[in-house]
Structure formats: structure tokens, C-alpha cells
Amino acid sequence: MSEHYDVVIVGAGIAGAAFAVALSQISLPSSHSSKSSKSSDPRLKESNEHEKKSLRILLLERNLSEPHRIVGELLQPGGVRALQSLNLSSTLSGIGSIPVQGYAVVHSGSVVRIPYPDEKEGRSFHHGRFVQRLREGARGAEGVDVVEGAVVSLVECPHTGHVIGVRARTTEEEGERVFFGDLTVVADGCFSNLRSKVIPGIMSRAQTKSHFCGLVLEDVSLPYRNHGTVCLIPGSGPVLLYQIEEHDTRILIDIKEPLPKDLKGHIEKNIVPHLPSSLQPAVTTALSKDRLQRMPNTFLPPSAQSSSSKEGVILLGDAWNMRHPLTGVGGMTVALTDVVRLRDLLASYLHSNATSSNPSPSPLTEWNKIAEILDTWHWSRKPLSSTINILSVALYDLFGADDEDLQVLRNGCFKYFELGGECIRGPVSLLSGITPSPLVLAYHFFSVAFYSIWVMFFHPRPVPSSSSPTSSNSSSTSSTQDGGDGKVVMRRPSVGEYPALVLRSFTVFWTACVVFGPLVWSEIRWW
């Protein structure tokens, strides 16, 4: 049994469900509607000459029950803005979502607050509840059919290799069923089974450096209300916390590969002691009674689909482009903004075709035109997607510093935030999706690098007390806390240490370049 649609979407997660709603908002003159229009009566078409027809869309999802994931729970202000553009703001209501007004970063007992500029707000929530609200929106959208079923394979034209639909096993019928579509969209998430069929070799570019291990803490207070919190842990990846409901707070603990066999034991011994003391009892309690959920943190830069993908099919969302979720799940902001841009480009093309003197009866099968749209889409999304992608991995490398030069940069980054003003406003505007500019990102990243070098020369640093100066001029170079044998004091470098620090400055700056450069290259390459 088979059925034909204008667009077949595989995956009803955030990107897939939102795209189904977005496509339903494209309306065409009924006299020029596609061959899949429900009405084929020429008399009815003539009488409805000025009415509009919607596309016919299939949204296929393997399991329509509420998903339970530990990421995709904090939507940045840029993502909230994209939801408004899709008329989906209501999906944030009725799920217990929490306003998010910025971040706090905790480092060595100090806390710096990083608020969103201009009183912008994000939202945090249980991932599954948000997804279900998006699916409800898709079910209520004109022209959208939502079907539960597992896609087995793409269906290709035997002569051209053009993808013409999918083969799936649905829960409504036994056996396999073919769904034909003028255009197929694969949005089946980070564990996509189809991405390598669409773009061969795409996974060779993916990198998984760590995993997030997640728990829910009950009735805890974070350093700042309605702020996400990032804790920098010595010798380990960062820890991210944010409230997802009135009484629930998510904690995501970054564990680098290779993963220890006893994850809970590792967290209790190496992570918990470095968290704020007010959070430690709740984390210990959650570890003792809850299952530790785990998700890989994978970086997958986007490939240009106009030239490298199979004809007739598009990748969308995490199936195509992933980044480290340390940026507060910037992936949702990127995906929703991608949906808005692609909807607008397709709407413009379809309207141009519908009003032309010689319209194509199946414009979504004209791959040369679709490829032009994909090329425009690929580069128009770059300001936002590149900013979020680069920032996520660069911040992770700094916050999860695993060598001395990266530790210098991490300390300098925290000190940079402590300066306040534009040193906070600029970076958080990038992270939140408010200022999509790789150039602004480069400016602040290298400002952090140079300021880190300044801090290395002129700020006190912890040293064993036995090496602290004891001469009469020590007061000019040291700022001690508690001295004594076996203790640590804070001391500024002496002039005699400057030659070594000059050499160290070059390695610190080179490390910054090594972090930033390859990330930029991954975004500007077009193959």
C-alpha cells in the first residue's frame, strides 16, 4: 500500500515537528496547487480561484509517546524568537517551563553572573513535554498527517537514484508501507539511521569527546534564581545546572572519554566535592536513588547539501549538524531558526512557481531549483549556526581544560567575565542567539586569549607557601591568603619570572589558535 504527499518528514522531534507546522503555513493559489491537492474537480478549482491550498505533509515518528532525554531542555532567547516566527509560542505554556534570564559561572568558589542583555528571556523545561506540545501543534496544522512508524529505508527511483519517498513499518498496519513524497526531509535526530544514506561519509567528520551524565535534583537553590549555572571542575569537564520545573533542577555532568567503569563512584569522588556545598547533598541523594542517564556530546559540522547529498532528500536538525550542548542547548535555537529560514525560502519558490506563466506541476521534484534553495539556506544560516557551533566547542575546550595552557585560558575567561560590561554582554549575546556574528565571536575569543596572558603576568596565582617570597620586598609581589607549611598562597609573578612567562605567552596564544582555527575551517569549507 502506498500514498503520496508533497513532503515526507522522518522524525517528529523538535526540528521535524516544527518543520511540519512551518510547511503547513505555506499556502498556494488553488488553481496552481500541487497534484496532491485533495480536490481534483475542475469546477471546484474554478470557483475557488482566489482561495488558498496548503501542502500535504506526512510526519513520521518511530514512537509518539513522550520521550525522556537529558538534553534539549534549555531554549535560548534566539530560539524563543524563532518559535514566535512559527506561531508556536504557545508550546511553552502548560509544561511547567521556567524563565531563564542568563547564566552564572562558578570557578574556585567564586561566582560571576552573566545576564541576558535587554531583559531577554529563554525557557527551560522537561524535553519530552515540549516535544509533545510541538507534536500537538503538528496534528492541528492544516494538511499534516502524523503517523507512528519506523522508517526502514529511503525509496529511490531505480533509473535516476532520486529519493521519491520512504518505506516504513507503521503501528496501524502489518508489514511495510511505502509513502511517496515530492520531497523527503530526514530529521530523525542525533542517532539518525539515515544521515549516512543521504550524505555518504558524513560521519567521518563527527567527533565525540565526552558524554553528559544527567540527574534531576529536587528542591535545590542555584546561585542565581532563573539562571543556568556552569561549574568549572578541576581536571574534568564542566557541570551544567538549570531548573526545568518548579521543584526539579537538571544537572548535566560532563565526563570525558574513555568513560570510567564506575560512573557514579567517579562522580562522587571527583565531581561532587568541587560543586557548591549547598548542592552536594542533593547530588549525592540523586546518585543513590536514580538511574544515571547518559548522552554523547558530538560535534558534527554541516555539509553543503546542494552538492553532496542525494537528490530528493534534505537533512535537518541534529541529523545534519550537532554541537556540544554546553551552550545551553543552542542546537534547538539553530534548528528552529533553520526551520524558519527554509520555510521562507521554499514559500518564495513555490509562490513564484504557482504564479508563473508556465508553472511546474511538481515544483518540489525540480532538484536543480531545490539545490539552489539549499545552497542559499546553507550560507544564510551561517551567521547564527557558525557562531553557536564554534562557541559551543571553544567554550567546552576552555571550561574542560585538560592542559596547562588551556587552564590559563579558562582562568582568563573567568576573569574576563568578572570585568563586566561588554565583556559579559558580548559573549552572552552570542551564546543566546541574539547576536549571530562569527566576527564578534572571534573578537571576544581572542580578547579572552590576550587578557589571559595579562592575567598570567599581573594577577596573583596559587603557589605552595614554601615557595613564597620571604625577603623584605615580598609585599610588592605577593598577596597572601593563609600561609603556613603545606598551604597555598596567592602570589604575583616576580620580575625574574617574566622571561619564562613571555615564552609561555606564545604557547597560550598558539593554543587559542589551535582551538579556534579548526572550528572556523569546519564552518567555511563547502564540501
Side-chain angles (χ1 to χ4, degrees):
M1 181 178 179
S2 62
E3 197 166 355
H4 192 280
Y5 291 85
D6 290 302
V7 181
V8 173
I9 302 174
V10 180
I14 289 168
F19 194 50
V21 174
L23 290 176
S24 75
Q25 297 166 352
I26 300 176
S27 57
L28 304 172
S30 61
S31 58
H32 298 290
S33 61
S34 70
K35 66 177 180 291
S36 61
S37 173
K38 293 181 179 178
S39 175
S40 58
D41 188 339
R43 293 170 299 177
L44 183 59
K45 285 187 177 183
E46 183 177 354
S47 65
N48 293 336
E49 181 69 20
H50 300 293
E51 293 183 4
K52 301 292 184 179
K53 288 289 183 180
S54 296
L55 297 171
R56 191 158 183 242
I57 303 148
L58 173 66
L59 182 60
L60 267 170
E61 169 58 38
R62 179 180 58 83
N63 186 347
L64 286 172
S65 61
E66 182 176 320
H68 297 281
R69 289 182 58 187
I70 61 170
V71 295
E73 295 175 319
L74 198 161
L75 185 64
Q76 298 286 357
V80 173
R81 181 174 57 194
L83 278 181
Q84 293 169 348
S85 298
L86 295 167
N87 297 320
L88 285 172
S89 298
S90 60
T91 56
L92 296 173
S93 303
I95 59 174
S97 65
I98 302 295
V100 179
Q101 299 166 350
Y103 281 86
V105 180
V106 181
H107 178 42
S108 300
S110 299
V111 183
V112 60
R113 177 174 174 260
I114 308 176
Y116 293 137
D118 305 323
E119 299 183 348
K120 293 286 195 302
E121 280 192 352
R123 282 289 189 277
S124 54
F125 37 70
H126 283 277
H127 171 84
R129 296 178 190 175
F130 179 55
V131 169
Q132 292 300 84
R133 290 285 281 153
L134 289 173
R135 290 172 180 173
E136 289 172 14
R139 286 190 182 96
E142 185 178 356
V144 178
D145 292 338
V146 181
V147 175
E148 186 172 70
V151 172
V152 177
S153 63
L154 299 172
V155 177
E156 300 178 17
C157 173
H159 304 292
T160 65
H162 190 104
V163 174
I164 55 176
V166 298
R167 191 182 308 276
R169 296 190 185 96
T170 68
T171 56
E172 299 174 351
E173 301 177 12
E174 293 186 0
E176 294 182 357
R177 186 176 173 185
V178 175
F179 297 94
F180 291 107
D182 290 350
L183 183 66
T184 300
V185 178
V186 173
D188 54 348
C190 61
F191 300 113
S192 174
N193 293 319
L194 298 176
R195 65 160 66 94
S196 60
K197 306 294 183 184
V198 178
I199 304 181
I202 186 174
M203 287 309 293
S204 65
R205 301 179 64 186
Q207 301 176 22
T208 300
K209 294 184 177 181
S210 67
H211 289 70
F212 259 154
C213 297
L215 294 164
V216 173
L217 311 182
E218 297 180 359
D219 295 314
V220 300
S221 296
L222 297 178
Y224 286 95
R225 181 178 174 84
N226 297 122
H227 284 61
T229 300
V230 180
C231 299
L232 307 185
I233 308 298
S236 181
V239 173
L240 178 62
L241 302 101
Y242 48 86
Q243 194 176 356
I244 54 177
E245 198 181 18
E246 183 180 358
H247 299 286
D248 294 348
T249 295
R250 172 69 70 194
I251 180 171
L252 297 174
I253 303 165
D254 186 87
I255 306 295
K256 297 181 180 181
E257 292 193 328
L259 296 178
K261 293 182 180 180
D262 181 9
L263 270 175
K264 287 190 174 182
H266 171 81
I267 292 170
E268 286 181 323
K269 179 181 178 181
N270 300 300
I271 305 297
V272 174
H274 298 287
L275 296 175
S277 57
S278 60
L279 299 175
Q280 293 179 18
V283 177
T284 302
T285 299
L287 283 169
S288 65
K289 71 174 187 177
D290 295 336
R291 182 176 68 89
L292 197 62
Q293 292 181 271
R294 194 175 73 195
M295 281 287 292
N297 295 326
T298 302
F299 176 59
L300 177 63
S303 301
Q305 299 190 62
S306 58
S307 57
S308 58
S309 66
K310 279 187 174 294
E311 295 184 0
V313 60
I314 299 173
L315 292 177
L316 182 67
D318 282 353
W320 177 41
N321 180 203
M322 292 183 281
R323 77 287 304 153
H324 197 287
L326 177 63
T327 48
V329 199
M332 288 195 293
T333 297
V334 172
L336 291 170
T337 306
D338 281 350
V339 165
V340 173
R341 286 201 173 95
L342 187 55
R343 176 202 62 183
D344 292 346
L345 289 168
L346 287 173
S348 177
Y349 164 62
L350 292 173
H351 277 89
S352 296
N353 175 76
T355 56
S356 68
S357 58
N358 185 28
S360 168
S362 304
L364 293 176
T365 64
E366 303 285 343
W367 188 251
N368 59 328
K369 300 292 186 182
I370 299 298
E372 291 177 6
I373 290 172
L374 291 179
D375 189 60
T376 302
W377 178 50
H378 180 77
W379 294 107
S380 68
R381 70 188 291 274
K382 281 295 182 182
L384 176 66
S385 65
S386 295
T387 298
I388 298 292
N389 292 343
I390 295 170
L391 180 61
S392 69
V393 182
L395 271 182
Y396 175 73
D397 284 346
L398 265 60
F399 286 175
D402 53 9
D403 67 36
E404 291 184 357
D405 290 334
L406 285 172
Q407 288 172 12
V408 170
L409 290 168
R410 177 174 68 179
N411 186 51
C413 184
F414 187 81
K415 297 291 186 181
Y416 188 77
F417 292 152
E418 287 184 324
L419 294 175
E422 186 58 28
C423 297
I424 283 180
R425 183 183 178 90
V428 78
S429 295
L430 295 165
L431 182 147
S432 61
I434 297 171
T435 304
S437 173
L439 289 178
V440 174
L441 172 59
Y443 167 79
H444 284 286
F445 184 85
F446 285 103
S447 292
V448 166
F450 286 119
Y451 190 66
S452 299
I453 294 171
W454 170 270
V455 168
M456 189 171 61
F457 275 89
F458 299 108
H459 282 228
R461 58 182 177 175
V463 295
S465 60
S466 59
S467 64
S468 62
T470 57
S471 62
S472 59
N473 65 350
S474 63
S475 60
S476 65
T477 59
S478 49
S479 175
T480 64
Q481 293 178 335
D482 291 327
D485 293 339
K487 295 185 179 181
V488 172
V489 297
M490 301 298 292
R491 182 174 66 83
R492 293 186 180 88
S494 63
V495 175
E497 295 176 272
Y498 280 11
L501 290 178
V502 169
L503 294 176
R504 181 76 180 279
S505 299
F506 286 101
T507 65
V508 169
F509 183 75
W510 174 250
T511 299
C513 294
V514 168
V515 168
F516 198 77
L519 296 174
V520 173
W521 175 245
S522 71
E523 291 293 327
I524 63 175
R525 60 180 292 184
W526 59 90
W527 62 91

